[in-house]
């Protein structure tokens, strides 16, 4: 799972009953907000994130398309599109979405990390190592994200001839 490769400080346990109940309640609240304003892009983005957590990927894609149309932040939409694709194991789609996020964000470190992870899972190890290096050049060296990236680079280096 993509979540397993994210730093522990960013990762939540998925599938626990309390988590599912929380997500279902959030989905209901967001649906009520969208009844009042169907173009409320923040609610649409949050709904897509909740739907992803509930593994309703088709619903998440629809919510993200509506959010983009309503003017939501392009980087956030691209990142969530990448996460939706990655959670389904659709690595070429994840790479494309994260690449868009990198391009639109001006190489934001989190977008670079997610792109590197998607490239790695797609099997493009050399490009993944290059992208992790670009990420590490921008990221705070002591962060959990940097530690996770270094671990991924180490693993890639030990498995690549």
């Amino acid at each position: 799972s993509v979540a397993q490769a994210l730093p522990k400080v960013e990762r939540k346990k998925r599938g626990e009953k309390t988590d599912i109940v929380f997500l279902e309640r959030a989905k209901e609240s967001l649906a009520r907000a969208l009844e009042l304003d169907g173009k409320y892009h923040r609610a649409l983005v949050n709904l897509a994130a909740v739907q992803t957590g509930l593994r309703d990927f088709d619903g998440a894609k629809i919510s993200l398309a509506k959010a983009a149309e309503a003017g939501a932040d392009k980087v956030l939409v691209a990142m969530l599109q990448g996460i939706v694709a990655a959670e389904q194991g659709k690595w070429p789609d994840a790479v494309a979405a994260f690449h868009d996020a990198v391009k639109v964000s001006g190489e934001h470190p989190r977008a670079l990390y997610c792109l590197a992870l998607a490239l790695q899972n797609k099997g493009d190890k050399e490009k993944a190592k290059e992208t992790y290096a670009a990420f590490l050049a921008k990221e705070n060296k002591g962060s959990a994200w940097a530690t996770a990236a270094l671990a991924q680079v180490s693993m890639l280096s030990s498995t690549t001839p």
Side-chain angles (χ1 to χ4, degrees):
S1 166
V2 174
Q4 295 305 313
L6 295 177
K8 285 186 179 183
V9 295
E10 299 288 336
R11 188 172 67 207
K12 291 183 179 181
K13 292 181 182 177
R14 295 187 189 184
E16 291 184 4
K17 187 171 182 156
T18 54
D19 194 37
I20 300 298
V21 169
F22 171 77
L23 290 172
E24 288 292 349
R25 285 183 185 154
K27 184 178 172 182
E28 291 168 12
S29 295
L30 291 164
R32 284 193 300 275
L34 289 166
E35 285 173 7
L36 299 174
D37 180 0
K39 295 195 181 287
Y40 182 34
H41 62 82
R42 287 185 177 96
L44 288 162
V45 166
N46 286 325
L47 179 59
V50 167
Q51 289 166 320
T52 301
L54 292 169
R55 306 197 63 75
D56 175 9
F57 301 121
D58 290 336
K61 289 176 193 175
I62 291 167
S63 295
L64 286 171
K66 289 179 181 178
E69 186 178 300
D73 180 87
K74 292 176 182 176
V75 176
L76 184 56
V77 169
M79 290 288 288
L80 281 169
Q81 287 170 331
I83 291 167
V84 168
E87 286 292 329
Q88 296 175 87
K90 296 180 178 179
W91 297 111
D93 293 343
V95 167
F98 290 133
H99 185 269
D100 287 348
V102 167
K103 188 169 58 175
V104 172
S105 71
E107 297 193 352
H108 187 281
R110 298 300 187 271
L112 283 166
Y113 180 90
C114 290
L115 175 58
L117 185 60
L119 286 163
Q120 180 180 350
N121 280 285
K122 184 181 167 211
D124 194 344
K125 294 179 181 183
E126 288 306 314
K127 189 71 174 160
K129 285 197 284 190
E130 291 171 19
T131 307
Y132 280 124
F135 162 78
L136 288 165
K138 292 180 173 281
E139 180 67 12
N140 175 346
K141 302 301 179 229
S143 76
W145 287 83
T147 301
L150 289 169
Q152 295 298 324
V153 170
S154 176
M155 184 180 72
L156 283 169
S157 296
S158 68
T159 60
T160 305

